[in-house]
Amino acid sequence: MRRDSRLSRMLHVLIHMDRIEGAATSDQIAQMLGTNPVVVRRTMAGLRDDGYVHSEKGHGGGWVLTRPLSEITMLDIHRALGNPGFFAVGVAIDHPECLVEQAVNSALGSAFEAAENLLIGKFAAVTLADLADDFDQRMAQITAEPNCELT
Amino acid sequence: MRRDSRLSRMLHVLIHMDRIEGAATSDQIAQMLGTNPVVVRRTMAGLRDDGYVHSEKGHGGGWVLTRPLSEITMLDIHRALGNPGFFAVGVAIDHPECLVEQAVNSALGSAFEAAENLLIGKFAAVTLADLADDFDQRMAQITAEPNCELT
DNA sequence: ACATCTCGCAACAACAAAAGTTTCGAAATC
DNA sequence: GATTTCGAAACTTTTGTTGTTGCGAGATGT
Ligand code: FES
Ligand code: FES
């Protein structure tokens, strides 16, 4: 089953945005992500609606962060993307009145609920500033050459 | 994103199989699941390969359990279905050498790993006999009328 | 003013994965 | 030998995502 990588991509983008001068255009971001600008706008629309970024038209326009990375958690971005379900596996509801199905789905459901709560807790605990710090540490260790337009 | 409900369905089926006389045909199971026999065979093939069920051809043939429910865990069935990934959300690998991406994916990856371990632990701890017991308790509480061929 | 850049939005096309269907064959029972 | 039932391959349908195209609106530069 194909995986939704929007969260990973958006986190990546936002941290880069924090490090560059001025605005990043949808085109630049699209190239960085190996996709096209319309997809970028579609994805970032959620972040804009939730107030994490702002978009500006015209010359020198594009996307800018509207608040410091320290005030955005991974969970915030997940929510801004529409709070998509984390799981590719779920319960079947073929016979809602069947007690076997109920017993099975209750066991499955509580396991997934526990896993989801764990994920939510972990995501809420990490700000983008934490990720940026992690990046700095990695950068300090090995001085690697970034290979794309946005450094 | 569409969810894989094979695990839920197979657990449901196996517990029913334990309660009926003789073999259950792919056709019967398909009706119970609201699908068709070919899909059932496809899905159950994994369980057969891992030795949880046996299939017999010809008159009176079909599927039978090859071991007691107490010796099968939810995790066993998940594995028998090809050990599909639990998550619908995953990391993007657009620029493997980008340290920002690495930092992001490390944070995401460790969260998913923890959640997956939690799920595996929970699934391994529940046998199908446990689910059947849960069913019995539900049955004892409310005496409901089963509505399908397999009671 | 006018050209250019950039986002916003909607409609459409392309693609991929899962599920469902059809068809044939093989083995077991009646 | 007829019938039941699984096994497997090929094909179609469905569904959701992603990518594309096209037009319009707002902002900036000349
Ligand atoms: S995409 Fe992260 S360095 Fe270019
Ligand atoms: S499907 Fe569970 S009772 Fe019929």
Side-chain angles (χ1 to χ4, degrees):
Chain A
M1 194 158 279
R2 210 226 210 108
R3 287 196 172 141
D4 180 353
S5 57
R6 290 176 302 158
L7 176 58
S8 171
R9 287 179 149 183
M10 286 301 103
L11 295 173
H12 183 180
V13 167
L14 291 171
I15 293 169
H16 273 306
M17 281 171 58
D18 185 55
R19 305 255 158 167
I20 62 174
E21 293 297 307
T25 68
S26 302
D27 239 317
Q28 289 176 301
I29 297 172
Q31 284 190 303
M32 169 174 156
L33 260 33
T35 179
N36 74 73
V38 179
V39 173
V40 171
R41 289 190 196 108
R42 235 173 4 218
T43 308
M44 308 253 313
L47 309 200
R48 182 190 54 220
D49 293 345
D50 280 14
Y52 301 114
V53 295
H54 174 71
S55 57
E56 201 68 55
K57 298 177 180 178
H59 272 284
W63 301 87
V64 289
L65 283 163
T66 56
R67 62 174 82 181
L69 294 186
S70 59
E71 291 176 18
I72 310 176
T73 68
M74 300 206 301
L75 182 60
D76 290 331
I77 303 305
H78 181 254
R79 294 245 157 91
L81 290 171
N83 206 11
F86 286 120
F87 301 107
V89 176
V91 303
I93 312 176
D94 300 316
H95 293 219
E97 71 293 340
C98 169
L99 295 176
V100 174
E101 181 174 291
Q102 286 176 26
V104 167
N105 287 350
S106 160
L108 282 173
S110 72
F112 285 126
E113 191 184 327
E116 175 152 13
N117 287 336
L118 184 146
L119 280 176
I120 289 175
K122 295 224 177 229
F123 284 5
V126 181
T127 68
L128 300 216
D130 295 332
L131 296 177
D133 287 348
D134 186 8
F135 161 74
D136 285 334
Q137 286 184 2
R138 289 166 193 264
M139 187 60 116
Q141 283 194 349
I142 48 173
T143 306
E145 178 84 354
N147 76 323
C148 102
E149 314 72 43
L150 308 172
T151 298
Chain B
M1 197 158 274
R2 208 220 209 114
R3 287 196 170 136
D4 180 353
S5 57
R6 291 177 301 160
L7 176 59
S8 172
R9 287 178 149 184
M10 285 302 103
L11 294 174
H12 183 181
V13 166
L14 291 171
I15 293 169
H16 272 308
M17 281 172 59
D18 186 55
R19 306 255 160 167
I20 63 175
E21 292 297 306
T25 66
S26 302
D27 238 318
Q28 288 177 300
I29 297 172
Q31 283 190 304
M32 170 175 156
L33 259 33
T35 178
N36 74 76
V38 179
V39 174
V40 171
R41 291 194 194 104
R42 229 167 17 208
T43 309
M44 308 252 313
L47 309 201
R48 182 191 54 222
D49 294 345
D50 280 14
Y52 301 114
V53 295
H54 174 73
S55 57
E56 201 67 56
K57 298 178 180 176
H59 271 285
W63 301 86
V64 289
L65 284 163
T66 55
R67 62 174 83 180
L69 293 187
S70 59
E71 291 175 18
I72 309 177
T73 68
M74 299 206 301
L75 182 60
D76 290 331
I77 303 305
H78 180 253
R79 295 247 157 92
L81 289 171
N83 206 13
F86 286 119
F87 301 107
V89 175
V91 303
I93 313 175
D94 300 316
H95 292 221
E97 70 293 339
C98 167
L99 295 177
V100 173
E101 182 174 289
Q102 286 177 24
V104 167
N105 288 350
S106 160
L108 282 173
S110 72
F112 284 127
E113 190 183 329
E116 175 152 13
N117 287 336
L118 184 145
L119 279 176
I120 289 175
K122 295 224 175 226
F123 283 7
V126 182
T127 69
L128 300 216
D130 295 332
L131 297 176
D133 287 347
D134 185 8
F135 161 73
D136 286 334
Q137 285 185 2
R138 288 166 193 264
M139 185 61 116
Q141 283 194 347
I142 49 173
T143 307
E145 178 84 354
N147 76 322
C148 102
E149 315 71 43
L150 308 172
T151 298

